[in-house]
Amino acid sequence: MILTALIFIMGTKMMAQQVTFNEAEPFLKVFQEKIEIPDGYHFSSVKKVMANDVSSYLFRYQKDGNKGKKGEYFSFIISEKEKRILGFTNMDRKYANLQMLSKEQTAAIAKDFLVEIDSELAAELKNLWIERHDEHILVTGEKGITVAGMKYKCYRLIKDDYAWVIVGFDGSIITFERNIKWNNDAQKRITEKWLHDSWVSE
């Protein structure tokens, strides 16, 4: 019983290992060559994590006044070996504006973004559907806020994985994720959800 508990604790620690900013800074610079950290967000933490058995760095930025895993945040994940951007999300209250773009507008913006972030990936993706997608954040002193955008979900046959882009009301990108593995029989995501506070908290 003690041994089982010890293995569980060791496994948990291996899932997310705290590292120094200096160690991870080169990966931040690579990310910023493609994506700009939003104004008003300050560095909070960086950890080494595994995503689909790929060693990666998970960066988190928060606004002043955030407490723990509550509030607005910007996170991104980038692979260690290839320095490939695996995803990012911007959980900002401005996306509580629920006036969605049209599917046509969403597709045009998402396609351009995918080409810019990785033209090879963009060429391999097939769009499955475009629909509104909601997330929820808790802001101190306020009720939960619904953050929404139009999700452009795609499938990549040669890798049997998924990618998506979520576009906000103003045409900016809320979320990008790639290399997502899915168990269709169980209707369950296999890939770790490092960009999602609810999953990380659990």
Side-chain angles (χ1 to χ4, degrees):
M1 189 72 175
I2 294 174
L3 180 60
T4 302
L6 200 59
I7 292 172
F8 174 77
I9 292 169
M10 290 175 63
T12 302
K13 288 183 178 179
M14 289 172 63
M15 283 181 65
Q17 175 190 353
Q18 200 81 35
V19 296
T20 66
F21 180 82
N22 287 341
E23 176 186 337
E25 188 174 14
F27 298 89
L28 171 61
K29 291 180 178 178
V30 170
F31 180 80
Q32 289 181 306
E33 289 173 3
K34 293 282 189 179
I35 307 295
E36 186 176 345
I37 306 294
D39 291 338
Y41 286 86
H42 309 291
F43 174 77
S44 175
S45 65
V46 58
K47 299 175 182 178
K48 186 176 282 191
V49 300
M50 298 298 291
N52 286 334
D53 296 323
V54 174
S55 180
S56 306
Y57 286 91
L58 171 68
F59 286 78
R60 181 185 177 89
Y61 286 73
Q62 296 182 167
K63 287 190 175 181
D64 291 338
N66 270 30
K67 293 183 179 180
K69 290 291 185 289
K70 290 186 177 181
E72 299 164 281
Y73 69 94
F74 179 90
S75 290
F76 72 87
I77 185 168
I78 182 169
S79 65
E80 181 177 17
K81 184 177 179 180
E82 297 178 320
K83 292 185 177 179
R84 173 176 291 155
I85 298 171
L86 300 179
F88 68 87
T89 193
N90 184 10
M91 291 290 101
D92 192 285
R93 71 169 71 215
K94 76 174 184 176
Y95 295 116
N97 186 324
L98 303 182
Q99 287 199 329
M100 299 292 97
L101 297 179
S102 68
K103 292 184 178 182
E104 292 75 19
Q105 291 171 313
T106 300
I109 293 169
K111 287 177 183 178
D112 287 346
F113 170 80
L114 287 167
V115 169
E116 185 177 343
I117 202 82
D118 188 333
S119 58
E120 183 178 344
L121 172 69
E124 295 169 347
L125 294 174
K126 177 184 178 182
N127 178 236
L128 299 177
W129 47 259
I130 306 171
E131 298 291 347
R132 174 175 154 173
H133 177 83
D134 292 359
E135 296 283 351
H136 301 280
I137 58 174
L138 293 174
V139 178
T140 303
E142 299 182 22
K143 295 180 179 179
I145 296 175
T146 297
V147 172
M150 291 293 284
K151 186 172 185 177
Y152 181 85
K153 185 172 182 179
C154 301
Y155 176 67
R156 181 166 57 161
L157 179 63
I158 62 171
K159 296 285 187 177
D160 188 27
D161 62 11
Y162 297 83
W164 50 77
V165 179
I166 301 176
V167 183
F169 70 98
D170 59 355
S172 61
I173 307 301
I174 299 177
T175 300
F176 161 65
E177 292 194 78
R178 63 173 294 169
N179 301 10
I180 304 299
K181 292 292 186 179
W182 192 268
N183 184 330
N184 286 312
D185 291 334
Q187 285 297 298
K188 183 179 180 180
R189 173 171 166 159
I190 300 171
T191 304
E192 297 86 347
K193 300 171 68 175
W194 291 114
L195 300 179
H196 301 261
D197 272 3
S198 57
W199 184 86
V200 173
S201 296
E202 290 174 4

